[in-house]
Amino acid sequence: MKSRARWVAIAGWLLGVAVCCVIISRTVFTADLSAFLPQSPTKEQQVLLDQLRDGMISRLILIGIEGGDASTRAALSKQIASELRADPAFVTVNNGEAVNTERDQAYLFNNRYLLSSAVTPERFTVSGLHDAISDTIDLLASPAGMMIKPLLPRDPTGEIVHLIEQMNGDTRPQMYDGAWTSRDGLRAILLAQTKATGADTNGQQKAMARIQDAFSSATKKIGPSAASAKLIMTGPGVFSVRSRDTIEHEATKFSLIGTAIIISLLLLVYRSITALALGLLPVISGALVGVTAVSLGFGVVHGITLGFGTTLIGEAVDYSIYLFVQSRQANTSEGKASSNWDADFWPTIRLGVLTSIVGFASLLVSSFPGLAQLGLYSIAGLTAAAAVTRFVLPHLLPVNFRIRDVSAIGLRLAVAARHAPKLRWPIIILSLAAFAIVALHRTTLWNSELSSLSPVSQQDQMTDARLRADMGAPDVRYLIVISGESRDAVLQSAEKVGVQLQKLVSQGTLATFESPARYLPSIATQRARQANLPGDDLEQRLVKATQGLPVRASVFSPFLSDIAASKHRSLLQRSDLDNTSLALAVDSLLFQRGTQWTAMLPLTAPSSEKLSQGIAVEPIRAALAASGQTNALFVDLKAESDHLYSGYLKQAIWLSLAGLGGIVILLAFSLRSATNTVRVLLPLVAAVICIVAALVLCGQRLTILHLIGLLLIVAVGSNYALFFSSRNADEIGVSPQTLTSLVFANLTTVAGFGLLGFSHVPVLNAIGTTVGPGAVLALVFSAIFSRQIAPQSMREK
Amino acid sequence: MHSRHVKLFHSWLYRWLAASLLSVFASYPVLSMAADWNIDQLMQSLSQTKLGHAKFTEKKYIAMLDRPVESSGELLYSAPDHLEKRTVKPRPETMVVDGNQMTIERGSQRRTVQLQEYPELAGFIDSIRGTLAGDRKALERSFKLNLEGGPEHWTLTLFPLDAKLARNVHLIRITGSHDNIRTMEIIEPDGDHSVMSIERMSAQ
C-alpha cells in the first residue's frame, strides 16, 4: 500500500511538472503597461489605453544631443534628421528645419477659401468686403503689415491671416544654427514619430537602435568636434523598451543572486547535495505551477509577476527546511520515519500556508491585473510548494535520510529565545510609537500617482521632463474624442464641437485647441464654403466695397481669379495633404480603428504657468453639450490615469484589510482560542506597523507594492508566529530544532526578498524593502511574544 | 506640432521687425553735442540715455494704396535692452523686446519669439544696440554709416551690409537736432517706405 501510494504521488507530481512545462512553453510573456491597465475600462479609460498603446503620443521619441559646442550639436541634429527622414521606420523627424514649410504654406494659401471658417455669405457682400479690406489695410499700418503686403492683391479679406491666427503656435523650441535647441542652449533637440506603435516594444527598440546608429555615423562624419557629444532619448516607447530591459535584467540578476545565496545557505546547513536538490524541488514545483496558473488565468504573464515570483523562492524553500530540520528532530526522538513530522509539524505549516492563501486570495478580485496576477501566482505557487513538501518529498527521501545535526545552533538560539519575552514591553511601546508615527503621517502615507509604479528610473523621468520642457511640450493631457461611422461623420462632429470650443478660446478659457477639421474640413463644410463664395458679380461688389478706402478695385484682379477658381474646384481630400507636415497632424488626430473612425481634439490650457492647475472642466463639458454631439467625449488623461491608480490603491487597501480579516477568522477558527489568535497576530501586526513607520521615517510614500509587501510579511510571518504559539510550544517550548529551522527559513526569505531592496525597479524595490526587514521583525517579535515557558518544563528538558 | 504655421509667420516677421525696432531705438533723445560734430560724438551722446518715452506717428507709403496708412502710439526705452512700441491707432498692438525675447500682442493673439533664432535679425538688432551704446564698431559690422549736416540738423543714414537684411531694407535714414531724434525713415527695396515722426515726452 505504502509503496503504491509513493509511486502514485511521484508519478502525479512528474505528470504535473510535465504539464506545467508544456503550458509555460506556450505562454506569452510581456513587459508593457498591460499589468497596470484595467481589463474592463470605462470609455474614458479606453481613450487612455488607446493613447498609451498606439496613440500619437505613444509613437514620439524625443531626442537630445548634449556635449560639444552649439554649432556641432546643430550640425549633428541636421545630419541625424536627414538620415532618419529617409528611414521608413519613422513617420516624421522634426528638428526645426524648414523641410515642409513651403508645401505647408502653399497648402494653406491655395486652399484658404475652403479652409477658412470666415468664409460666410456675409464675408463677400459689399459691406462685408469693405470691412474685411479695411481691416487688412489697418493691418498694413501695424508692424505686422509688412508680412501681408505682398499678399494683398490675392487675399484682400485676409483669409490667410485668419487661418494662421487660429493655429496658435506659441509653444515651440528655440533655434540655433537652423535647428531646435533647448531653452538653456545646452542641448540640440529633435522629435521623431515612429511607425511602430508604442505597444510594439520590439519596433520601438529597433527605432531606438536606428537613432543610435544615425547618431554614431553623424559623429563620425562631423569628426573630432563631435567626439564629446552624447545622445539621449526619451518618450513612451523608449520607456517601454527600457522597462522591459530593466525588468528582465533585474529579475534575472536578483533571482540568480538570491538562488545562489539560498543554495549556499542550504549547503551550509545540510552539507548534502542530495538534501539541497530535494529541498529545491518544492520551490521549482511551486514556481512552475504559479506561472502556469497565471498563464491559464490571464493569457499572458507579466515580467513583474515573474520578477516577484522569483522571490517566492524565499518562502517556498521554507517548507522543505521545516521538513528536513524538524523531521530530524522527530527521527531523533522516535527513531521512526517522518510520520511524526506529519502529525507534529505539518498542521502548523498547513495553517501557515492557509493563512498565506487567505491573505492573497483577496487580491484575486482586484481590478488591477498586475495585482490579481501576483495573487494567483502566490496562491498557486505556495499551495504547490507546500503540497509537494508534504505529499511528494517524504517519498523521495532516501532511507535514513538525515541532514547534519544542527542542534548546537539550536541550543544557542533557544537560550536567546528564552530571554526574548523580556523585550515584550519595549516592543509594545515601540509598536505604539510606530503606530503614532503612521497615524501622524496618515494623509501623506500613500503615493496616489501612477508614475510611482513606473519601472522607469527617476533619472530617466527627469530627462523626460527636461526634454519635454525644452520641446515646448506636446504634452497632451486634455482631449476631446469623437467617434463615428465614417471619416466625414467625425469631421462634421469635430466642426460642430470646434465652433463651441472657439468661443472658449475667445473667452480665454482655452488657449487653443487642435482639430483635424482645420486642415481637412468635412465635405459638407467645404461645399458650404464654396457656395458662400461670390459669383461673377464680385467685381462690381469690389468696386462698391472699395469706395472710401485708399485702394482701387483693380488691384484685386488676382483675388477675382482665385475666388472663381475656388468656387468650382474639386474638394479637398486627405491625399491633397500628402508631403506636407499637416498630413501628420491630420493622421494623428483622425484615424480609423476597426470600422470606427475617431477624431481627437487636443485642448491647450490658457498659460503654460497654469498648466499644473489644469483646465476649467465645466465650461468644456457645457460646450460639448451645446454642440449636441453625443459621440464626443472629454478626457483628462492625467486625471484618468491617476484616478485609475488611486482606484487600484484604494481597492487594494480594502482587499488587504479583507485578507487580514480572513486571516483572523481562519486563525480563530483553527486555534479555537482568542488568546492564541491574538498571540499569533500580535507580532505580525507589530512587525507591519514598525515597517510602515520605518518607511515613513525614511521619507518613502507607500505604493500598492508596499501593500503587497506587508501582506507578504503577514503570510511569511504567520508560520513563525504559529510555531511559537503552537501546542507543542505551549508544552515544551519551541524546540531547538524548530528554532533552527525557523531561523534558516527566515534567512532564506531575507535572501530572496531582501535582495530586491537593491533593485532599481520601484515595484521590486518596494517589495524588497518591506519584506526583507519585515520578515526578520516578524520572527523576532514572534519569539518575543511567545508564551513564557514555565520554569519546571525547562528544567525537565 | 505648430512649427509649420509659425514658420510662415516668422518668415514675414523678420521683414517688419527691423523697421519697428529701429523706430523704438530712435525714440530717445540725443544729448547735447560737442563742437566737433562726427559719428563718434553722436554715438557717445546716444549712449548717455537710460530711459526714454516718446509719442510717434508713422506713415507708410505703399504703392498699391492711394494714400499712406497711418498709425500712432508711444515708444518706450529702458537701458540696457528693454524696448516697447505701443500702437494705439488704428488698432491697439504692443511689441516688447526684452533682451533676446520679443513678444507681440494684437487682439487676443500673443506671440513670443527668441531673437537668436534669426541670426540675421539678431545681427541687425545688436548693431542698433551698438549704436545706442555708442559702439560704432558693432554698428559698422552690419551697416555702412553716413552722417550729414551739423548738430542743428543731422541725418544719419544706415546702409545694410548683410544681403539678407538688404533684401528687406534698402536704407534707414534717421534725422535729429542736437539731442533729439525727430524722424526715422525706412526705405524698402521696392520703393515702398515709411516715415516715423517722433516727439519726445521725457528722457533721463
Side-chain angles (χ1 to χ4, degrees):
Chain A
M1 263 319 270
K2 194 119 199 184
S3 103
R4 212 180 130 202
R6 179 184 173 185
W7 289 117
V8 168
I10 293 174
W13 170 67
L14 283 175
L15 186 68
V17 168
V19 169
C20 287
C21 287
V22 170
I23 293 171
I24 289 170
S25 69
R26 296 178 176 184
T27 296
V28 180
F29 294 89
T30 160
D32 63 12
L33 282 160
S34 61
F36 304 115
L37 305 177
Q39 284 171 312
S40 42
T42 63
K43 271 199 282 180
E44 284 86 354
Q45 286 170 351
Q46 189 60 52
V47 173
L48 174 68
L49 301 198
D50 291 345
Q51 280 307 301
L52 289 172
R53 286 200 188 108
D54 55 8
M56 60 168 167
I57 316 160
S58 81
R59 298 165 184 247
L60 294 180
I61 297 183
L62 282 77
I63 305 166
I65 302 163
E66 291 178 337
D69 60 68
S71 309
T72 307
R73 290 193 295 267
L76 280 171
S77 166
K78 289 178 202 166
Q79 184 66 40
I80 292 171
S82 81
E83 194 163 323
L84 295 181
R85 280 187 191 115
D87 191 322
F90 296 93
V91 182
T92 68
V93 178
N94 204 346
N95 66 343
E97 285 180 279
V99 181
N100 295 321
T101 314
E102 275 173 26
R103 280 195 292 261
D104 291 358
Q105 290 179 6
Y107 178 84
L108 291 177
F109 191 77
N110 295 337
N111 303 311
R112 64 192 182 281
Y113 294 109
L114 296 182
L115 295 171
S116 170
S117 62
V119 177
T120 57
E122 298 76 41
R123 182 80 156 178
F124 300 99
T125 59
V126 170
S127 70
L129 282 169
H130 180 91
D131 292 348
I133 295 170
S134 171
D135 281 352
T136 308
I137 290 173
D138 281 351
L139 195 60
L140 285 177
S142 102
M146 292 288 192
M147 311 190 305
I148 57 155
K149 194 181 81 177
L151 302 177
L152 183 69
R154 287 185 71 184
D155 186 22
T157 56
E159 295 316 321
I160 192 72
V161 174
H162 179 76
L163 277 179
I164 287 172
E165 274 179 359
Q166 290 206 327
M167 297 168 186
N168 196 326
D170 209 10
T171 54
R172 182 187 50 97
Q174 301 174 15
M175 303 278 285
Y176 187 92
D177 268 9
W180 282 345
T181 180
S182 62
R183 251 162 247 278
D184 59 11
L186 297 176
R187 274 180 300 281
I189 44 181
L190 301 91
L191 183 65
Q193 189 178 18
T194 61
K195 192 163 197 171
T197 66
D200 175 7
T201 315
N202 290 331
Q204 291 289 333
Q205 192 162 25
K206 276 182 203 140
M208 284 172 68
R210 285 290 302 120
I211 293 169
Q212 186 68 53
D213 289 350
F215 173 74
S216 308
S217 67
T219 43
K220 263 184 218 124
K221 218 171 249 176
I222 286 168
S225 65
S228 60
K230 219 175 77 211
L231 176 74
I232 48 177
M233 281 185 261
T234 184
V238 175
F239 278 0
S240 29
V241 171
R242 296 237 172 93
S243 308
R244 184 173 68 176
D245 290 353
T246 313
I247 292 176
E248 269 174 12
H249 175 245
E250 301 264 295
T252 316
K253 182 171 82 181
F254 285 105
S255 60
L256 281 180
I257 300 176
T259 310
I261 293 180
I262 289 171
I263 286 176
S264 319
L265 259 173
L266 293 181
L267 270 180
L268 203 70
V269 182
Y270 297 158
R271 304 258 167 113
S272 150
I273 298 288
T274 320
L276 172 72
L278 290 172
L280 289 178
L281 281 185
V283 179
I284 295 162
S285 314
L288 288 177
V289 171
V291 175
T292 305
V294 173
S295 171
L296 292 177
F298 293 87
V300 290
V301 178
H302 198 275
I304 300 250
T305 312
L306 274 189
F308 170 82
T310 57
T311 65
L312 220 59
I313 300 168
E315 195 186 349
V317 82
D318 292 1
Y319 303 138
S320 56
I321 295 176
Y322 296 143
L323 173 70
F324 293 168
V325 178
Q326 294 165 357
S327 62
R328 184 189 155 85
Q329 170 191 355
N331 289 348
T332 320
S333 47
E334 305 292 325
K336 276 282 217 169
S338 56
S339 58
N340 290 65
W341 182 78
D342 296 351
D344 295 341
F345 297 99
W346 171 244
T348 307
I349 292 173
R350 187 179 54 201
L351 187 54
V353 174
L354 280 175
T355 310
S356 302
I357 290 174
V358 170
F360 284 117
S362 59
L363 296 185
L364 286 179
V365 297
S366 170
S367 54
F368 180 1
L371 219 49
Q373 282 203 2
L374 293 190
L376 182 58
Y377 183 96
S378 310
I379 291 174
L382 289 181
T383 310
V388 168
T389 309
R390 165 67 183 85
F391 299 107
V392 181
L393 204 50
H395 297 302
L396 293 174
L397 298 184
V399 189
N400 293 328
F401 171 81
R402 55 172 41 196
I403 55 159
R404 190 167 74 95
D405 184 2
V406 288
S407 56
I409 307 168
L411 285 172
R412 245 172 282 154
L413 288 171
V415 175
R418 220 172 296 141
H419 294 290
K422 289 179 191 158
L423 288 171
R424 196 169 286 182
W425 281 107
I427 292 304
I428 288 174
I429 291 164
L430 180 73
S431 303
L432 287 176
F435 184 77
I437 290 168
V438 175
L440 276 176
H441 289 83
R442 65 187 180 282
T443 49
T444 55
L445 196 57
W446 300 98
N447 189 338
S448 61
E449 288 193 15
L450 185 61
S451 59
S452 62
L453 284 192
S454 166
V456 178
S457 72
Q458 198 68 33
Q459 197 193 341
D460 283 353
Q461 289 185 29
M462 276 161 61
T463 307
D464 185 64
R466 217 171 52 217
L467 278 183
R468 270 176 202 289
D470 289 345
M471 196 65 81
D475 186 22
V476 181
R477 172 169 173 185
Y478 303 100
L479 283 175
I480 286 173
V481 181
I482 297 166
S483 46
E485 299 295 317
S486 68
R487 169 155 41 202
D488 207 55
V490 292
L491 280 174
Q492 281 188 38
S493 291
E495 283 161 353
K496 286 179 183 133
V497 171
V499 168
Q500 299 298 326
L501 291 178
Q502 194 59 50
K503 290 181 189 167
L504 296 182
V505 172
S506 359
Q507 289 165 18
T509 313
L510 282 179
T512 183
F513 69 94
E514 190 67 290
S515 170
R518 196 167 272 169
Y519 314 106
L520 184 63
S522 70
I523 291 168
T525 298
Q526 292 191 51
R527 287 230 171 87
R529 284 177 187 158
Q530 275 188 326
N532 293 341
L533 293 175
D536 299 336
D537 61 337
L538 176 60
E539 199 168 352
Q540 287 95 28
R541 290 194 205 179
L542 263 180
V543 171
K544 285 183 196 160
T546 49
Q547 277 172 17
L549 295 176
V551 65
R552 287 168 303 257
S554 60
V555 168
F556 301 127
S557 60
F559 172 56
L560 294 179
S561 47
D562 276 8
I563 290 277
S566 296
K567 194 162 176 66
H568 300 292
R569 53 167 292 180
S570 56
L571 298 181
L572 287 175
Q573 310 256 329
R574 162 61 190 83
S575 54
D576 292 315
L577 285 158
D578 284 347
N579 300 317
T580 69
S581 55
L582 303 169
L584 167 68
V586 168
D587 289 347
S588 52
L589 298 176
L590 178 70
F591 47 86
Q592 190 175 20
R593 187 169 280 135
T595 56
Q596 282 289 101
W597 278 87
T598 303
M600 291 202 308
L601 282 64
L603 313 179
T604 307
S607 115
S608 51
E609 301 99 68
K610 287 182 193 157
L611 204 69
S612 53
Q613 293 165 21
I615 215 168
V617 171
E618 281 318 309
I620 293 165
R621 295 201 192 281
L624 275 195
S627 73
Q629 303 303 303
T630 49
N631 52 345
L633 190 70
F634 172 63
V635 185
D636 175 351
L637 291 179
K638 177 165 168 33
E640 260 340 296
S641 70
D642 284 346
H643 182 73
L644 186 66
Y645 172 66
S646 65
Y648 287 156
L649 186 62
K650 223 172 277 171
Q651 189 196 34
I653 293 172
W654 282 112
L655 289 176
S656 303
L657 288 177
L660 190 65
I663 290 174
V664 173
I665 293 170
L666 173 74
L667 290 178
F669 184 77
S670 321
L671 302 173
R672 294 178 195 284
S673 147
T675 329
N676 281 345
T677 307
V678 170
R679 197 178 291 284
V680 172
L681 283 173
L682 209 57
L684 303 181
V685 172
V688 165
I689 285 178
C690 287
I691 288 299
V692 174
L695 288 171
V696 166
L697 289 180
C698 292
Q700 283 264 15
R701 294 188 71 178
L702 305 193
T703 65
I704 210 162
L705 270 301
H706 286 101
L707 191 68
I708 303 304
L710 298 177
L711 214 57
L712 273 165
I713 297 179
V714 175
V716 176
S718 60
N719 285 322
Y720 311 147
L722 283 168
F723 274 118
F724 274 103
S725 69
S726 69
R727 201 163 26 93
N728 293 354
D730 285 355
E731 288 159 8
I732 55 162
V734 180
S735 74
Q737 298 283 5
T738 307
L739 268 181
T740 314
S741 71
L742 288 179
V743 169
F744 281 127
N746 186 252
L747 284 176
T748 56
T749 305
V750 172
F753 284 105
L755 267 182
L756 290 184
F758 298 100
S759 170
H760 300 297
V761 181
V763 168
L764 300 179
N765 180 285
I767 290 185
T769 49
T770 314
V771 183
V776 177
L777 284 193
L779 178 64
V780 174
F781 288 3
S782 295
I784 290 170
F785 286 103
S786 69
R787 182 164 297 193
Q788 261 160 329
I789 300 147
Q792 357 11 350
S793 66
M794 280 180 53
R795 239 171 272 130
E796 275 165 32
K797 211 168 168 302
Chain B
M1 295 290 289
H2 296 286
S3 63
R4 53 197 174 271
H5 325 308
V6 181
K7 263 284 165 204
L8 177 61
F9 175 83
H10 286 120
S11 61
W12 291 326
L13 181 72
Y14 161 66
R15 292 164 151 255
W16 59 265
L17 207 89
S20 34
L21 274 172
L22 251 189
S23 65
V24 172
F25 283 108
S27 69
Y28 64 92
V30 178
L31 294 181
S32 58
M33 305 298 156
D36 297 321
W37 182 247
N38 60 31
I39 290 176
D40 284 331
Q41 296 292 337
L42 179 60
M43 294 292 122
Q44 198 192 354
S45 331
L46 286 167
S47 70
Q48 303 297 312
T49 304
K50 302 300 174 210
L51 269 175
H53 189 189
K55 283 182 181 172
F56 76 88
T57 318
E58 191 178 19
K59 285 186 181 175
K60 282 187 185 164
Y61 298 86
I62 298 168
M64 278 183 290
L65 302 184
D66 296 341
R67 55 175 186 266
V69 283
E70 280 191 39
S71 59
S72 59
E74 292 183 5
L75 300 166
L76 280 161
Y77 166 73
S78 157
D81 55 11
H82 181 86
L83 301 153
E84 289 183 40
K85 183 182 186 188
R86 298 183 169 276
T87 308
V88 181
K89 284 177 183 170
R91 297 289 164 92
E93 185 177 63
T94 306
M95 185 195 73
V96 179
V97 183
D98 229 332
N100 251 328
Q101 183 169 296
M102 184 183 71
T103 306
I104 306 133
E105 276 184 82
R106 182 182 167 87
S108 60
Q109 298 284 308
R110 181 193 161 95
R111 311 245 179 193
T112 302
V113 296
Q114 303 296 319
L115 294 177
Q116 74 209 34
E117 293 175 23
Y118 305 88
E120 66 272 37
L121 182 61
F124 176 76
I125 289 164
D126 287 343
S127 303
I128 302 170
R129 284 179 180 166
T131 315
L132 299 172
D135 189 349
R136 184 177 173 176
K137 277 184 189 164
L139 193 62
E140 287 183 331
R141 271 201 288 271
S142 300
F143 296 96
K144 188 165 80 74
L145 307 185
N146 183 40
L147 184 65
E148 286 172 86
E152 295 291 330
H153 186 87
W154 51 264
T155 303
L156 178 67
T157 312
L158 311 176
F159 299 94
L161 294 174
D162 181 60
K164 280 180 185 168
L165 191 56
R167 228 180 288 153
N168 299 295
V169 177
H170 175 58
L171 64 82
I172 300 164
R173 195 183 289 135
I174 305 164
T175 67
S177 170
H178 294 291
D179 58 345
N180 216 346
I181 291 178
R182 292 274 167 77
T183 67
M184 203 187 73
E185 191 177 7
I186 300 165
I187 300 175
E188 292 178 48
D190 62 3
D192 285 355
H193 63 286
S194 67
V195 181
M196 178 185 275
S197 312
I198 297 155
E199 187 190 330
R200 186 170 79 184
M201 293 161 74
S202 70
Q204 284 172 37

